[in-house]
Amino acid sequence: MSLWRCVLELDSRRQRISGSTQGLLEAIDRAADLRIATEFLHNEHIDVHSASSERIREVAEFGVTYSIDHRWTAGIMHLRQPIELPAGFGPRPSMSFFVYNQDGTQGIARPYLDGQSRDGVRGSAPVFPTEQMPKYHAIDQWDAGTNAPSHNFIYDFDHFRYCVNDSWREVLYHSPTGEVLAGSLADLVDAFSTGCSIKLGIVGLCDDLHDDASAVLEHTVYVQGGSAYYYTDQKLMIIGTHPVVRVSPQIPLEYRSGNWDFGWVMLRSDGHVVYRRCDPYTLQFSDHVLRKGVRWFVR
């Protein structure tokens, strides 16, 4: 029996057909996995010069999810290399960090990985014309010609179906200083020791990306963990995450010049967090020590 269910469906105008944004928010705040199903025609979306009007169904995985200000959700594709349908990959290796908001607005940040120098100027750039793709509506363009261009847009897919796997169970929630706010470390250790997967809800992970610290919206970023370690004498759990994409929290979640990055997170059950940040413009890495409240989920 499938553990996946559709909690929100929008039509091509992004009007609600069924479900609710509240149901989606509640699922994301339980660390539910998110996939979004869409449909489109090949010669409307992939190759406008093609004679093929074949309908394509896409179901995309959004491995990083955001809950913002207790009222908004968004998901980011964090593992995707661009695919050039139907033949292979795009011409330059890069990441395709697509973001989809709960209202169907979209964006993409594309850090290139091939080491080619990019001398473009950072900041706002002219929006490229989209006359040949009438269902595509460009909103803005940022950092064109750099190693990390981004833009926000709307594509009028035939529908948007927000599907969740709501099978995670929260076993521990601690403060930035490690104070237990709910659950227990013992429950986490018991589940971990039997081979359960772990997912993390990191509170305030993107606080430093906002220009005005006093205006940062409350937010939690959810991402799955990988290898975990338990120090039996110290009673300390340590885990490293899958790749995470950070974006300055706002409604809707949008890319701007300098408001995003990506990397990996190491977390401990005492609130100690290290973020290994990759600067998308230079691909240079740096480590940043933080204190964060974390929710730990198991499955």
Side-chain angles (χ1 to χ4, degrees):
M1 183 175 64
S2 174
L3 296 175
W4 291 87
R5 59 191 177 92
C6 179
V7 292
L8 174 64
E9 182 173 2
L10 309 178
D11 64 18
S12 62
R13 296 177 299 168
R14 300 179 294 116
Q15 301 298 308
R16 186 177 66 87
I17 297 175
S18 63
S20 68
T21 55
Q22 182 62 31
L24 176 62
L25 174 62
E26 292 172 357
I28 294 300
D29 268 329
R30 292 190 295 266
D33 300 326
L34 175 65
R35 293 177 180 170
I36 301 176
T38 57
E39 289 192 11
F40 51 88
L41 302 185
H42 178 84
N43 59 5
E44 286 185 343
H45 186 55
I46 303 302
D47 181 2
V48 296
H49 302 293
S50 171
S52 172
S53 59
E54 183 174 356
R55 179 170 298 279
I56 300 172
R57 293 179 180 175
E58 178 183 11
V59 179
E61 177 188 35
F62 292 80
V64 175
T65 52
Y66 280 68
S67 172
I68 303 173
D69 201 36
H70 308 289
R71 58 190 172 98
W72 193 266
T73 59
I76 297 179
M77 301 183 198
H78 70 319
L79 298 176
R80 183 181 184 275
Q81 280 257 357
I83 292 178
E84 194 170 84
L85 293 172
F89 290 96
R92 292 185 62 191
S94 67
M95 301 305 296
S96 292
F97 292 146
F98 279 98
V99 58
Y100 281 40
N101 286 281
Q102 67 182 40
D103 64 350
T105 55
Q106 302 139 63
I108 182 175
R110 188 183 297 284
Y112 289 101
L113 304 177
D114 54 14
Q116 297 183 29
S117 62
R118 305 291 286 175
D119 298 323
V121 177
R122 289 179 56 174
S124 180
V127 175
F128 45 81
T130 58
E131 291 87 354
Q132 290 185 318
M133 194 179 288
K135 290 190 175 182
Y136 186 89
H137 312 286
I139 298 173
D140 54 28
Q141 178 81 12
W142 300 93
D143 303 331
T146 73
N147 192 68
S150 64
H151 65 277
N152 302 287
F153 64 94
I154 297 168
Y155 188 87
D156 299 330
F157 291 114
D158 292 352
H159 61 247
F160 301 78
R161 291 178 181 151
Y162 295 74
C163 303
V164 299
N165 183 333
D166 196 4
S167 57
W168 293 94
R169 175 171 59 93
E170 185 174 5
V171 291
L172 174 64
Y173 176 23
H174 62 72
S175 73
T177 58
E179 177 188 1
V180 174
L181 303 176
S184 71
L185 178 61
D187 288 344
L188 173 60
V189 172
D190 287 346
F192 149 85
S193 299
T194 60
C196 284
S197 299
I198 297 175
K199 195 168 186 179
L200 299 311
I202 310 169
V203 180
L205 179 63
C206 309
D207 285 347
D208 61 298
L209 288 172
H210 201 287
D211 293 334
D212 181 359
S214 65
V216 176
L217 295 178
E218 292 185 29
H219 64 284
T220 301
V221 178
Y222 297 91
V223 63
Q224 193 161 338
S227 297
Y229 315 85
Y230 181 60
Y231 277 69
T232 55
D233 292 338
Q234 299 180 56
K235 300 191 182 305
L236 183 67
M237 181 70 77
I238 303 172
I239 193 168
T241 69
H242 292 185
V244 64
V245 183
R246 300 195 314 158
V247 185
S248 178
Q250 56 188 306
I251 296 175
L253 196 63
E254 294 181 332
Y255 290 112
R256 293 284 186 271
S257 180
N259 84 333
W260 65 279
D261 56 31
F262 68 100
W264 288 256
V265 187
M266 188 218 75
L267 307 100
R268 299 192 327 208
S269 55
D270 62 358
H272 177 84
V273 170
V274 179
Y275 177 52
R276 172 154 287 182
R277 175 183 184 267
C278 182
D279 184 325
Y281 301 96
T282 65
L283 300 184
Q284 297 300 305
F285 284 85
S286 56
D287 287 356
H288 304 265
V289 178
L290 311 168
R291 280 279 174 184
K292 297 294 178 183
V294 181
R295 301 172 65 193
W296 300 69
F297 299 82
V298 298
R299 181 166 68 192

